[in-house]
Amino acid sequence: AVHLVESGGGSVRSGGSLRLSCVASGYYYRTYCMGWFRQAPGKEREGVAGIDADGRPRYAEAVKGRFTISEDEEKRTLYLEMTNLKPSDTASYYCAYHTGECPWSLLQIESQYEYWGQGTQVTVSS
């Protein structure tokens, strides 16, 4: 099993920045991919960004140009650098992990992922 712990959430004003981190522990799969999802109150969880086994990122249209996903494999840590934050980015952000092959086209599909963190809250005020 894989255990995921997110951190880095907080409250910022519109235009501000935050960096989320997600540390993975437990079994190490040689082939895997990871992603970030978010869920705002009253809305369904949506994919924000994902990174495949080759390090290729994929972003939701709403965050392209503002968010950057990256990974430090040695530290088993996934990051989400968020800049120019907007009130519409307010949500709980979740880290997710998929074992095995991970088509780039499916990186933002929730059902693709087997393991999930508990989430970290991001609140952006205007």
Side-chain angles (χ1 to χ4, degrees):
V2 177
H3 184 56
L4 303 172
V5 178
E6 303 98 333
S7 63
S11 296
V12 297
R13 290 203 169 184
S14 184
S17 300
L18 284 172
R19 186 174 83 155
L20 306 183
S21 299
C22 171
V23 179
S25 61
Y27 191 84
Y28 176 77
Y29 291 88
R30 296 185 67 178
T31 302
Y32 66 93
C33 64
M34 296 182 75
W36 287 99
F37 289 75
R38 68 186 180 185
Q39 187 168 22
K43 294 188 177 181
E44 293 186 355
R45 190 152 56 183
E46 63 177 359
V48 175
I51 190 165
D52 70 8
D54 295 322
R56 292 188 302 166
R58 183 182 175 113
Y59 299 97
E61 286 297 324
V63 306
K64 276 183 180 178
R66 301 187 299 120
F67 291 11
T68 302
I69 188 171
S70 62
E71 182 184 9
D72 184 328
E73 291 189 33
E74 188 173 337
K75 294 181 179 179
R76 298 189 69 186
T77 302
L78 183 73
Y79 301 100
L80 185 68
E81 190 78 39
M82 305 185 295
T83 63
N84 192 20
L85 282 161
K86 305 175 181 181
S88 56
D89 294 317
T90 295
S92 291
Y93 283 72
Y94 299 88
C95 172
Y97 188 106
H98 167 75
T99 64
E101 295 296 329
C102 190
W104 185 83
S105 60
L106 300 180
L107 280 175
Q108 289 172 257
I109 305 300
E110 187 176 346
S111 59
Q112 172 93 318
Y113 297 87
E114 297 89 1
Y115 299 103
W116 293 82
Q118 291 300 306
T120 186
Q121 179 67 34
V122 172
T123 302
V124 185
S125 59
S126 56

